[in-house]
Amino acid sequence: NAGVTQTPKFQVLKTGQSMTLQCAQDMNHEYMSWYRQDPGMGLRLIHYSVGAGITDQGEVPNGYNVSRSTTEDFPLRLLSAAPSQTSVYFCASRFGLAGSDTQYFGPGTRLTVL
Amino acid sequence: TQLLEQSPQFLSIQEGENLTVYCNSSSVFSSLQWYRQEPGEGPVLLVTVVTGGEVKKLKRLTFQFGDARKDSSLHITAAQPGDTGLYLCAGYRGGKLIFGQGTELSVKP
């Protein structure tokens, strides 16, 4: 199993550009989520999905879109990049919604918006 | 305001010292988790505590869940340079995993 994979590893954008961060998992997990990590703020939830065709907003959804057409893939789209979106982005997945479930994280995408 | 508050945010100690990291909330959680993150990688689950008062040990790491299930602590005995990293507590709220702001630990040889 590859686990959770993310591409690209690094990305530099100019203000106003759009892009898609890719995330895929091969563990047949229903629950997937996107976080951003900024210094001193831990991980903040952007969007999440409880299954194919179902998505919902997290704590900081503005400026980001998601879709979930398959169980395996959960791409994150930046519509018009802003410097405030400079961050490290992590995709995660887990099997279910139980409080004891392990959440598996990808290696992250480091995004810089100039 | 953070639902889960961690302290301290930064900790720099010498090899062999003991340390404790705290994770506090004003809300009750059915369980709390601790993750460790190394530079350039995603967080990895260390432990889940589910019962008030529960103590779990992972080699030199001891995790405790508060009796009222509002707080947790991570104690490391005889820290080693390999323990260096970011330690994050997390809890589920409405099916979503919410994180504290993290504790950056540096253990110097």
Side-chain angles (χ1 to χ4, degrees):
Chain A
N1 283 354
V4 181
T5 57
Q6 291 183 237
T7 55
K9 184 81 171 168
F10 301 95
Q11 183 70 49
V12 179
L13 293 177
K14 294 181 179 178
T15 297
Q17 287 185 316
S18 62
M19 78 160 294
T20 300
L21 307 184
Q22 301 292 343
C23 173
Q25 53 89 12
D26 61 358
M27 297 174 281
N28 202 31
H29 286 171
E30 290 294 327
Y31 191 99
M32 297 185 72
S33 50
W34 276 102
Y35 292 85
R36 60 176 288 173
Q37 185 173 38
D38 302 291
M41 302 191 74
L43 288 95
R44 291 182 292 169
L45 184 64
I46 304 172
H47 285 287
Y48 65 99
S49 169
V50 299
I54 306 169
T55 64
D56 206 345
Q57 296 180 350
E59 304 167 78
V60 287
N62 292 340
Y64 307 95
N65 270 2
V66 292
S67 59
R68 184 99 178 267
S69 55
T70 67
T71 299
E72 295 77 21
D73 300 298
F74 191 42
L76 178 72
R77 281 181 287 277
L78 279 70
L79 308 172
S80 177
S84 60
Q85 294 179 303
T86 292
S87 187
V88 182
Y89 291 84
F90 289 98
C91 179
S93 75
R94 68 178 192 262
F95 179 72
L97 296 178
S100 57
D101 279 351
T102 300
Q103 185 139 289
Y104 297 90
F105 286 83
T109 294
R110 185 173 293 274
L111 175 68
T112 302
V113 183
L114 303 175
Chain B
T1 53
Q2 296 268 152
L3 189 58
L4 290 168
E5 292 280 349
Q6 280 186 244
S7 62
Q9 285 198 43
F10 301 95
L11 198 51
S12 181
I13 61 172
Q14 293 296 129
E15 182 176 2
E17 291 184 11
N18 301 332
L19 68 113
T20 302
V21 177
Y22 299 94
C23 176
N24 295 297
S25 177
S26 57
S27 302
V28 174
F29 283 85
S30 59
S31 65
L32 283 178
Q33 297 183 325
W34 286 91
Y35 289 77
R36 180 166 171 258
Q37 184 179 17
E38 298 195 34
E41 298 182 7
V44 175
L45 179 69
L46 293 174
V47 77
T48 302
V49 285
V50 296
T51 306
E54 180 178 9
V55 176
K56 281 191 173 179
K57 293 194 174 184
L58 195 65
K59 297 183 181 178
R60 294 175 293 101
L61 279 61
T62 301
F63 304 86
Q64 185 161 6
F65 200 12
D67 291 339
R69 292 187 287 125
K70 291 183 178 181
D71 57 271
S72 181
S73 63
L74 158 61
H75 182 80
I76 301 180
T77 303
Q80 298 177 1
D83 295 325
T84 293
L86 179 67
Y87 290 82
L88 296 149
C89 68
Y92 285 99
R93 177 67 67 218
K96 294 172 279 191
L97 190 62
I98 306 299
F99 285 83
Q101 69 269 58
T103 296
E104 191 84 50
L105 172 64
S106 174
V107 182
K108 302 186 188 317

